[in-house]
Amino acid sequence: YIKECLDSVINQSLGIENIEVIVVNDCTLDNSMSIVNEYANKYPSIKIIEQEKNQGLGPTRNLGLKYVTSDYVTFLDSDDYISENAYENCLNLFLTNENTDLVIYKYELFNPDGAIPPKDIHQKIYEKDHIITNLNDVPEIIFATASWNKIYSKKLFPYLNFPSILYEDNITSVETLINSNKIIVTTDSTYHYRYEEDGSSITQSISKKNNEDLIRCILLILEVKKQKHRIFWVESMNISLETLVLRKGNIIHHHQLSNY
């Protein structure tokens, strides 16, 4: 899938020469890096970083962030792709809306085999444009837990610290949402998320590790909730705990969380 992913970046209306591309090889065992090397030899914007050992999404994102020199950063999973106008549109939103720290764009699930993915409850947030300066005005924004359909300003870089668990972007998303002065949600750009109907995706499958990491993730969010200067977040957090469980399709029930 890496070719489709990179092509969507190369073909951005913003121009590949204006995009810093950092590809982190987390010790892949397939042929992906030979494809990436072909692109890197052709496009100077692409920089390759090698992990010494496989560490998973959180540490891989953290490593890539160390090499960022631009004023904005985003994440693109190697099996997904983005609309051609995504980066240009989002950059213009930053430049024309003073004090904007975070831009979030809509996403669509797709399955190349023609299967129709289920409607994700989180997609309702992206049915219209928002300019958010008070999180209480759009409390459902707490459901926007993915890191890959967001573009972060440099102000938020200190909060981009991903833990070494599955669902690593949940807590990081909460941190960046809380610490943003202004958030823009746009319907004009689209992230295309590959949906595997057979459950082969790591985060879509059901396993003991998935359930354990989901609990760890919820506990981290609860720690954020306890901080006094974030007390306005309490009601939204209570909603999100149930959602964090149900959205993953795991066999944990909301009432069981009281034991943790």
Side-chain angles (χ1 to χ4, degrees):
Y1 306 130
I2 189 66
K3 185 179 187 303
E4 186 176 23
C5 174
L6 289 175
D7 281 343
S8 74
V9 178
I10 300 303
N11 295 323
Q12 283 295 297
S13 59
L14 184 62
I16 183 58
E17 67 277 6
N18 298 311
I19 304 170
E20 179 179 49
V21 184
I22 299 172
V23 179
V24 182
N25 175 20
D26 193 28
C27 303
T28 180
L29 298 176
D30 61 19
N31 194 42
S32 295
M33 289 313 298
S34 64
I35 298 173
V36 173
N37 284 320
E38 290 179 12
Y39 279 80
N41 290 332
K42 187 175 181 180
Y43 300 100
S45 297
I46 299 178
K47 180 188 300 182
I48 298 174
I49 308 299
E50 301 282 349
Q51 284 269 55
E52 293 183 1
K53 62 179 181 178
N54 179 271
Q55 296 190 53
L57 274 173
T60 299
R61 295 196 198 282
N62 292 337
L63 177 60
L65 284 165
K66 293 180 180 180
Y67 294 87
V68 173
T69 63
S70 55
D71 292 329
Y72 306 95
V73 71
T74 187
F75 302 93
L76 177 58
D77 287 355
S78 57
D79 56 344
D80 301 333
Y81 68 94
I82 51 174
S83 60
E84 288 187 6
N85 69 326
Y87 294 161
E88 182 176 21
N89 176 54
C90 291
L91 181 60
N92 286 336
L93 289 173
F94 276 111
L95 297 179
T96 57
N97 292 273
E98 190 176 1
N99 295 323
T100 298
D101 296 318
L102 181 64
V103 172
I104 308 175
Y105 45 98
K106 67 177 180 179
Y107 69 92
E108 294 180 357
L109 306 180
F110 75 97
N111 185 299
D113 296 329
I116 300 176
K119 190 70 175 178
D120 192 325
I121 62 170
H122 307 86
Q123 289 173 285
K124 289 185 66 65
I125 304 167
Y126 313 110
E127 291 178 351
K128 63 178 182 179
D129 295 337
H130 299 281
I131 294 180
I132 305 169
T133 56
N134 185 331
L135 294 176
N136 289 316
D137 293 340
V138 189
E140 62 270 24
I141 197 68
I142 186 63
F143 299 150
T145 55
S147 61
W148 33 254
N149 67 330
K150 297 180 175 69
I151 296 186
Y152 309 85
S153 69
K154 183 171 283 188
K155 177 201 165 182
L156 296 179
F157 287 10
Y159 305 103
L160 295 174
N161 184 24
F162 296 89
S164 300
I165 59 174
L166 296 175
Y167 321 114
E168 82 295 333
D169 44 5
N170 282 276
I171 182 62
T172 306
S173 293
V174 171
E175 288 281 6
T176 55
L177 287 165
I178 288 174
N179 286 287
S180 295
N181 287 320
K182 182 188 291 184
I183 302 166
I184 296 180
V185 178
T186 177
T187 60
D188 291 336
S189 303
T190 306
Y191 185 100
H192 298 273
Y193 180 90
R194 188 179 302 273
Y195 172 78
E196 301 291 352
E197 190 179 24
D198 60 2
S200 59
S201 168
I202 295 174
T203 54
Q204 292 172 15
S205 61
I206 297 175
S207 69
K208 180 181 178 182
K209 176 172 174 50
N210 283 41
N211 289 336
E212 290 174 346
D213 279 0
L214 188 58
I215 292 297
R216 292 189 184 99
C217 172
I218 291 170
L219 290 174
L220 287 171
I221 292 178
L222 284 171
E223 286 302 311
V224 173
K225 175 181 168 182
K226 288 177 183 178
Q227 298 185 35
K228 290 182 179 179
H229 69 285
R230 293 163 174 172
I231 193 68
F232 63 85
W233 217 210
V234 170
E235 186 174 347
S236 296
M237 281 298 179
N238 286 336
I239 298 172
S240 73
L241 294 183
E242 182 175 7
T243 304
L244 281 169
V245 175
L246 296 180
R247 67 183 284 227
K248 305 301 182 183
N250 286 311
I251 51 174
I252 304 175
H253 297 291
H254 178 50
H255 68 269
Q256 292 177 307
L257 296 179
S258 61
N259 297 325
Y260 293 91

